[in-house]
Amino acid sequence: MYSSKLLLILLLVFTTQVSNAQEDKYDYIWPFGYDPNIPEDTFGGSILNFHYQPIDISYVELPFDFNFTPVSTISNKLGELIFYTNGCEIINREHEVMLNGDTINPGYVYNSYCSTGYPYGQGLIAPPIPGNDSIYYIFHLRRNDQLYITDLMYSIVNAAGDNGLGEVTEKNTLLFQDNFVDQLQAVRHGNGRDWWVVVLKVSSNKHFLFLLSPYGIEGPFEQQTGVAWNAGYWSGQAIFSPDGSKYIRVNPTNGIHIFDFDRCTGELYNPVVMSFVGDTITATTGAGVSVSPNGRYLYASLSKRFYQYDLQAGNIAASRQLIAVYDGFRSPFATTFFQHMLAPVGKIYITSTNGVNRLHVIHNPNQPGTACNLEQHGICLPTFHVFAAPNFPHFRLYDLPGSPCDTLGISTADKEPERQDEKIKVFPNPADGVAYIQLPPGIVGKLQVWNAEGKVMFDEEIRERAGQRLSINTTQWPAGVYFCTVYDNRGRDERRVTFVVSH
């Protein structure tokens, strides 16, 4: 029998799963690809839709090229696409140039390179303005005529403009000038509302931070900390951990730099530097980095090698494990490793350093070593894509509980609860033998049950009826916690519930 203490822990897990269904879904749509739109030749656009599990992947005609540019895309809180951009134009949900969305980052580079997208790897990020569901800021870096990144700019999208198709109400506003590394990142302030935006100065250890709030943009707040990057600052990535406590940047020549981050003050501290010891660095090498959803494991790749580090280890560098070596697969070019992005479903997707129609995926990133289950070229896209991964902040990160800046009463728990008649229910819970799953009416889709290791234990299609009750025989399942999820093919929010099997 389970102790009362364990049942309390499981009750907390159940509460977390229910609230997650209500969290913001700004990052549920990922566009990839490049033109011309010739689907039979694997050219055009690919859309990854995380409303479904397995994810829905579909073809779309693109109005421009993502060739050399990170995907900067925003959906609303419900996960409905609002806009995306390649750093040259802003495109609405109808895949047309948004009203006043032309000529982003004007100048020599725009005129010379925008046929294939603005040339940078992580030069765009788009947090929603705090306290307004219709206004979004796009922070974007601009290159000068000599191709150096010298301008940090922003543009503003009003999603309600142009009869709901969106309108760019302000664009190409210069925020700050210096010489920047092509790594633009953002993280939620500890008050749960505002955003920190971070960019690094080239050939230095100087960071510039800006604070986006309902009252505008403050900054720059300058910090010099850690080891200065040398001039080889190309082809890398910067991220925050999912809980916002770590800021990490990587590139082939400067290695991996890890900082603790104070979400209240914006302070970067306790720098740790790790090199890619024993790896060969070439002109085509790309480096990427990500952190597992539970914040414990750091993943770093350098072209043909993929590593895991334990961020809780006393010596992070010594915890390095080689997870995978590029297996030689081509589609049609080498599917080597490049940038990473943590998806809403808790998996990590990885792009390649060439134009291919494949993505790598880490299925269980919370697990140590090879149990993380890195599947090389496991996702097949309808079209080719090259280089950059989507560049999202962690939208489902809110307040920092117990911190001095947690003063606004904002938290995940404040999200609007589900209606009682729309929940799924499992009984008895704990189950010992047969478990019954009661579904709300009107569902057409799929029901899956996962164990704590991420293995699918039950998978069944759902047909629409007034209400459904499914039975699952759990007698052969090990005792433990299981996660039940219903995916609605009509695009409604998925429902989740946690239950216990006890023998």
Side-chain angles (χ1 to χ4, degrees):
M1 296 294 293
Y2 283 84
S3 68
S4 58
K5 181 177 181 180
L6 180 55
L7 286 175
L8 175 60
I9 293 173
L10 294 174
L11 177 61
L12 292 175
V13 172
F14 170 79
T15 303
T16 300
Q17 291 296 317
V18 171
S19 65
N20 282 348
Q22 299 299 318
E23 291 173 338
D24 294 336
K25 300 180 179 181
Y26 296 108
D27 56 349
Y28 265 51
I29 305 295
W30 294 12
F32 289 94
Y34 51 90
D35 60 12
N37 293 297
I38 310 174
E40 58 271 22
D41 291 336
T42 325
F43 284 92
S46 298
I47 295 287
L48 274 62
N49 185 336
F50 289 96
H51 286 283
Y52 306 97
Q53 199 58 221
I55 59 174
D56 180 73
I57 303 175
S58 59
Y59 175 86
V60 65
E61 289 194 356
L62 282 180
F64 57 31
D65 206 325
F66 277 126
N67 196 351
F68 298 106
T69 312
V71 179
S72 184
T73 178
I74 279 289
S75 302
N76 61 20
K77 286 187 176 183
L78 299 179
E80 300 164 331
L81 180 65
I82 296 177
F83 68 83
Y84 55 97
T85 177
N86 66 350
C88 300
E89 275 77 38
I90 300 172
I91 304 302
N92 64 26
R93 68 171 186 266
E94 301 289 339
H95 306 289
E96 299 174 345
V97 177
M98 183 176 285
L99 182 62
N100 197 33
D102 61 310
T103 321
I104 306 300
N105 290 319
Y108 167 77
V109 175
Y110 176 93
N111 296 332
S112 301
Y113 291 86
C114 270
S115 61
T116 55
Y118 208 82
Y120 43 42
Q122 208 177 9
L124 297 162
I125 200 159
I129 190 170
N132 192 313
D133 291 340
S134 297
I135 307 300
Y136 300 84
Y137 272 66
I138 304 174
F139 291 89
H140 46 103
L141 298 172
R142 183 173 66 173
R143 297 182 181 274
N144 64 15
D145 292 355
Q146 289 74 44
L147 302 186
Y148 295 112
I149 300 175
T150 56
D151 300 337
L152 174 60
M153 313 182 79
Y154 69 87
S155 300
I156 300 175
V157 171
N158 180 356
D162 193 21
N163 297 313
L165 290 177
E167 176 184 4
V168 179
T169 58
E170 184 176 348
K171 66 181 180 182
N172 301 320
T173 299
L174 180 63
L175 181 60
F176 188 63
Q177 286 187 309
D178 208 299
N179 292 290
F180 303 114
V181 176
D182 182 10
Q183 293 183 347
L184 188 60
Q185 195 48 259
V187 68
R188 188 91 67 171
H189 189 282
N191 64 16
R193 181 194 65 187
D194 304 337
W195 294 92
W196 292 107
V197 178
V198 185
V199 67
L200 173 70
K201 179 180 174 68
V202 301
S203 303
S204 77
N205 63 350
K206 181 179 288 188
H207 300 79
F208 302 104
L209 287 87
F210 299 82
L211 184 64
L212 173 65
S213 77
Y215 311 106
I217 303 173
E218 300 177 55
F221 306 101
E222 299 183 14
Q223 294 182 47
Q224 287 187 264
T225 182
V227 177
W229 275 32
N230 63 34
Y233 50 82
W234 45 268
S235 190
Q237 190 172 14
I239 65 163
F240 280 94
S241 61
D243 66 358
S245 66
K246 302 286 187 184
Y247 171 70
I248 304 164
R249 64 176 192 261
V250 62
N251 82 349
T253 57
N254 290 284
I256 307 165
H257 294 229
I258 306 170
F259 299 83
D260 289 334
F261 184 73
D262 188 323
R263 290 171 53 204
C264 289
T265 64
E267 180 186 5
L268 297 157
Y269 60 102
N270 290 339
V272 174
V273 178
M274 302 183 297
S275 61
F276 287 112
V277 178
D279 286 316
T280 300
I281 298 174
T282 68
T284 59
T285 299
V289 66
S290 56
V291 173
S292 60
N294 65 3
R296 177 163 186 175
Y297 297 111
L298 181 151
Y299 294 92
S301 61
L302 185 69
S303 189
K304 296 184 178 182
R305 293 179 178 267
F306 209 99
Y307 301 102
Q308 183 193 74
Y309 298 81
D310 188 346
L311 291 173
Q312 295 181 7
N315 185 331
I316 298 175
S319 73
R320 184 173 87 161
Q321 295 190 59
L322 180 64
I323 299 301
V325 176
Y326 166 56
D327 62 7
F329 185 87
R330 301 174 70 86
S331 182
F333 302 106
T335 56
T336 46
F337 306 117
F338 192 24
Q339 290 187 349
H340 312 184
M341 189 65 218
L342 177 63
V345 294
K347 299 183 180 184
I348 295 172
Y349 293 82
I350 302 105
T351 63
S352 295
T353 54
N354 292 296
V356 299
N357 67 330
R358 300 286 177 143
L359 298 174
H360 314 287
V361 57
I362 305 177
H363 291 283
N364 306 109
N366 286 338
Q367 299 300 315
T370 55
C372 71
N373 191 11
L374 169 59
E375 182 183 7
Q376 297 193 46
H377 46 83
I379 302 296
C380 184
L381 302 176
T383 63
F384 295 123
H385 175 69
V386 63
F387 301 150
N391 191 28
F392 294 116
H394 296 292
F395 292 112
R396 287 163 293 281
L397 175 63
Y398 299 99
D399 65 325
L400 184 60
S403 67
C405 62
D406 186 16
T407 59
L408 302 180
I410 299 173
S411 70
T412 304
D414 291 329
K415 295 298 172 183
E416 181 182 355
E418 293 180 295
R419 292 186 359 226
Q420 292 298 315
D421 61 352
E422 290 187 343
K423 290 182 180 180
I424 57 175
K425 301 175 183 178
V426 179
F427 57 91
N429 190 5
D432 185 5
V434 176
Y436 296 94
I437 300 177
Q438 182 68 47
L439 303 177
I443 296 292
V444 178
K446 178 181 288 190
L447 182 145
Q448 288 182 330
V449 178
W450 306 68
N451 67 13
E453 301 299 320
K455 178 183 177 181
V456 177
M457 306 296 291
F458 183 84
D459 188 330
E460 185 166 312
E461 296 296 325
I462 304 169
R463 295 172 299 172
E464 183 175 8
R465 288 187 298 202
Q468 303 177 64
R469 180 182 297 179
L470 301 179
S471 61
I472 301 176
N473 188 344
T474 68
T475 55
Q476 301 301 314
W477 295 7
V481 182
Y482 292 85
F483 307 93
C484 177
T485 305
V486 173
Y487 307 98
D488 190 334
N489 288 344
R490 294 177 176 178
R492 297 169 62 187
D493 296 350
E494 64 268 22
R495 281 90 161 167
R496 304 176 186 175
V497 66
T498 303
F499 68 99
V500 177
V501 170
S502 173
H503 299 306

